[in-house]
Amino acid sequence: MNFKDLSDEEIVRIVREKNKELYAEIIKRYRLKLSHYLKKFTKNNDELDDVMQAVFLKTYQNLYGFDIDKKFSSWIYRIAHNEAINNIKKNKNIINLEFIEYKILDQKAGIFSKIEKKCIKEVVNEALLKLKNKYRDPLILFYLEDKTYEEISDILRINKNTVGILIMRGKKQLKEYLKGKI
Amino acid sequence: MKEDLENKIMKDIKNGRVKLRSKYIFLAEKLSLGSGLILAVLLAILFFNLILFYIKETDNLIYLTFGPNGFLAFLESFPYLLIVTFIAIIFFVGFLIKKTDFSYKKSFGQWSIWLISFIIIAGTFLTFTNINNEIHKHHRIFMHPFFENKPFLKNGITGTIIQKTDNGLILNTDRGIKYINIENINIDPNFKERDFVIAIGDKQAQDFFANDIKRVAPDKMIFMKRELEHFPEDLDRDCMKNCFDQDNFFHDCMNKCKKE
């Protein structure tokens, strides 16, 4: 059987019931996506590796807690999100976007086009850190992780309508903060 | 580095250093959360029903029939302990709902409206069933802390007349045998023993000085009526009766007739 064609949920079912080694496929599928997401909340690669390892181990240990009728990606992102929060608590506030991500934020949300490119990182990091978690997390998941409202709702455990409101308010607050910096 | 991470995790899994948590743990968590939630909602319904029952079947609401003068006694006899317990249960229900997998699908406001509406409707419905009488008959001890503790009640009293004296009435109340001084008011001369009366006034030391008193039909306060059928267990009924008949002072009789 070619397990590459299997859905995440089917792989989880097989891992739980028959073949634990198939969990490697889950790691392969989510390694890049999660490292992309978790990088924003970690200082360096070593710390990122530690958080990633914790996420994959917790995911494995709690596989029976996953409801197979739901979306696995939202569930693993939720675990990753919780680990990211733990890491932020341990290491104070960290926001570590890549340059391309500032561009994406600029294009999609149109919030800081007037800022000079050379100081964009510094200013946006500061602005994102000023935002409350409840606004920052949906903004990052929506604009930088390409998650839908439904997925963000499942990851952050907030109502779908509230997701839209939080993104809108977060964007507004970010714009207002950046206005003062231009 | 990335390969290392995968290999390291898979090695731990294969070696058995990292294991799947048993499915029964998750099942037990879900079951205990579900049953806890159901139990808490049922308790909330029961307590809402008890609040209505209290207001309906005790002296609380009848104090208002004295007009503005009875308002203080109404407030003092309000079922605060029941209300505080009910609110605490509602908070607990909210806390349990937040712990469930489905709570975030609807906003907390929506949940609250649905839940409180359901509890109010079910609780009101329950008040009109026979459940409270059954609880009172068979599990009086459950109701006592909520119905008999009226720590604030100083301006009202309810009970059945045990004895009429020159200036007062000796009542069997839900808080024991009490003496009411009625020298400042004119009372219906037809008041007789075993009449069910309610009075407002002031409590001074051990006695109650009535400003107004009226007879009430016992079926207006089913709970009180049934409570007062129980003569205080620590007093000898015959001794009390004889003591009052011999025109002894009320407090002397109380001391004399206490069971050993």
Side-chain angles (χ1 to χ4, degrees):
Chain A
M1 186 172 61
N2 187 1
F3 50 78
K4 293 213 185 310
D5 297 334
L6 295 176
S7 69
D8 294 344
E9 293 76 20
E10 283 168 321
I11 289 182
V12 169
R13 192 175 48 77
I14 296 170
V15 172
R16 290 200 307 204
E17 289 166 7
K18 295 182 227 164
N19 184 2
K20 290 179 176 51
E21 291 186 22
L22 205 52
Y23 188 67
E25 178 63 18
I26 292 285
I27 301 176
K28 276 193 190 97
R29 288 185 187 188
Y30 283 92
R31 200 171 50 199
L32 264 178
K33 290 179 192 169
L34 291 185
S35 85
H36 182 257
Y37 177 58
L38 290 169
K39 215 172 195 174
K40 299 170 190 54
F41 308 102
T42 46
K43 276 187 295 198
N44 50 44
N45 281 343
D46 286 342
E47 200 176 279
L48 175 66
D49 274 358
D50 288 344
V51 178
M52 290 272 287
Q53 190 179 348
V55 170
F56 282 120
L57 288 178
K58 276 191 183 163
T59 304
Y60 178 76
Q61 286 172 321
N62 293 295
L63 274 186
Y64 274 115
F66 169 63
D67 180 349
I68 217 113
D69 296 326
K70 291 185 178 162
K71 215 171 163 188
F72 179 76
S73 72
S74 299
W75 188 69
I76 198 170
Y77 261 87
R78 166 128 194 103
I79 295 174
H81 174 74
N82 288 340
E83 277 304 309
I85 288 173
N86 288 343
N87 193 57
I88 288 172
K89 277 183 192 160
K90 262 192 271 174
N91 299 310
K92 300 273 166 73
N93 273 345
I94 301 163
I95 280 290
N96 188 13
L97 301 193
E98 286 177 34
F99 189 74
I100 184 76
E101 290 176 320
Y102 297 103
K103 277 187 143 180
I104 292 170
L105 260 183
D106 186 19
Q107 283 163 5
K108 289 188 180 173
I111 39 186
F112 41 84
S113 52
K114 285 178 188 163
I115 300 174
E116 291 221 10
K117 277 187 181 165
K118 59 182 176 185
C119 62
I120 234 177
K121 185 173 177 174
E122 197 183 306
V123 173
V124 175
N125 277 357
E126 201 183 320
L128 282 172
L129 280 174
K130 291 255 175 196
L131 276 186
K132 283 183 185 165
N133 286 355
K134 68 173 181 177
Y135 298 124
R136 188 177 59 205
D137 296 339
L139 266 183
I140 288 176
L141 285 166
F142 185 69
Y143 287 115
L144 302 178
E145 300 298 318
D146 280 331
K147 296 287 173 195
T148 62
Y149 279 17
E150 183 90 47
E151 286 169 320
I152 297 172
S153 159
D154 288 336
I155 294 167
L156 301 179
R157 298 272 166 120
I158 46 178
N159 183 250
K160 207 168 103 182
N161 297 334
T162 314
V163 172
I165 295 168
L166 292 177
I167 290 173
M168 197 181 71
R169 286 188 190 158
K171 208 168 105 175
K172 200 177 156 197
Q173 285 193 13
L174 206 56
K175 267 183 180 176
E176 274 169 16
Y177 181 80
L178 292 170
K179 250 187 216 169
K181 291 279 170 186
I182 295 167
Chain B
M1 184 185 65
K2 281 172 184 171
E3 285 303 317
D4 282 350
L5 178 73
E6 185 185 324
N7 290 339
K8 205 173 163 189
I9 293 168
M10 290 314 294
K11 203 171 143 191
D12 281 349
I13 290 172
K14 283 177 203 164
N15 287 344
R17 269 202 293 270
V18 178
K19 286 178 182 163
L20 286 169
R21 281 174 75 205
S22 164
K23 60 180 156 191
Y24 298 109
I25 294 175
F26 294 100
L27 193 67
E29 276 174 9
K30 273 189 183 168
L31 278 178
S32 52
L33 183 63
S35 47
L37 186 59
I38 291 171
L39 198 70
V41 170
L42 290 178
L43 266 180
I45 293 171
L46 180 71
F47 271 84
F48 184 77
N49 144 72
L50 284 178
I51 292 171
L52 292 186
F53 179 70
Y54 180 101
I55 292 171
K56 206 162 80 85
E57 301 294 354
T58 69
D59 48 351
N60 181 248
L61 212 54
I62 298 180
Y63 287 118
L64 289 180
T65 60
F66 288 100
N69 294 336
F71 191 66
L72 195 57
F74 166 75
L75 287 182
E76 288 172 349
S77 63
F78 211 66
Y80 295 107
L81 188 59
L82 275 174
I83 289 170
V84 168
T85 312
F86 173 68
I87 291 171
I89 295 170
I90 290 285
F91 274 107
F92 185 59
V93 170
F95 167 77
L96 290 181
I97 284 183
K98 278 263 175 197
K99 293 253 162 208
T100 60
D101 281 342
F102 54 84
S103 65
Y104 66 95
K105 296 279 179 193
K106 286 194 188 301
S107 74
F108 195 68
Q110 266 176 304
W111 275 115
S112 308
I113 291 169
W114 277 106
L115 190 75
I116 291 174
S117 308
F118 173 68
I119 288 170
I120 287 175
I121 292 168
T124 309
F125 174 76
L126 209 60
T127 313
F128 292 99
T129 66
N130 203 29
I131 189 164
N132 295 308
N133 291 326
E134 289 301 313
I135 294 173
H136 192 218
K137 263 186 212 161
H138 304 294
H139 307 283
R140 278 180 74 213
I141 201 153
F142 171 75
M143 279 187 167
H144 271 207
F146 301 102
F147 281 67
E148 290 202 344
N149 279 337
K150 295 175 186 167
F152 310 115
L153 184 58
K154 293 193 169 52
N155 292 281
I157 196 164
T158 309
T160 47
I161 300 174
I162 299 175
Q163 183 102 357
K164 278 169 79 176
T165 65
D166 290 341
N167 292 325
L169 297 171
I170 292 156
L171 298 187
N172 180 19
T173 75
D174 57 345
R175 290 180 295 167
I177 306 288
K178 302 279 176 194
Y179 176 76
I180 311 186
N181 188 312
I182 49 169
E183 61 188 4
N184 297 329
I185 53 170
N186 296 319
I187 70 159
D188 182 349
N190 295 326
F191 272 17
K192 57 183 189 303
E193 282 178 23
R194 294 199 175 272
D195 271 355
F196 205 43
V197 292
I198 182 164
I200 54 166
D202 306 301
K203 193 182 170 199
Q204 288 171 19
Q206 290 293 307
D207 298 335
F208 186 87
F209 288 78
N211 296 329
D212 200 354
I213 188 164
K214 61 171 76 169
R215 206 169 5 199
V216 213
D219 61 356
K220 293 261 184 206
M221 297 187 260
I222 296 292
F223 175 84
M224 296 287 279
K225 178 181 171 275
R226 202 177 298 125
E227 273 300 293
L228 299 179
E229 283 163 4
H230 300 274
F231 194 79
E233 283 167 10
D234 59 336
L235 291 174
D236 184 324
R237 189 173 196 133
D238 293 333
C239 167
M240 288 290 279
K241 183 83 183 144
N242 292 334
C243 185
F244 291 143
D245 285 343
Q246 288 160 18
D247 286 336
N248 287 312
F249 286 115
F250 170 73
H251 295 297
D252 292 339
C253 291
M254 290 288 283
N255 291 331
K256 191 177 158 191
C257 297
K258 268 209 174 108
K259 284 181 186 168
E260 288 294 309

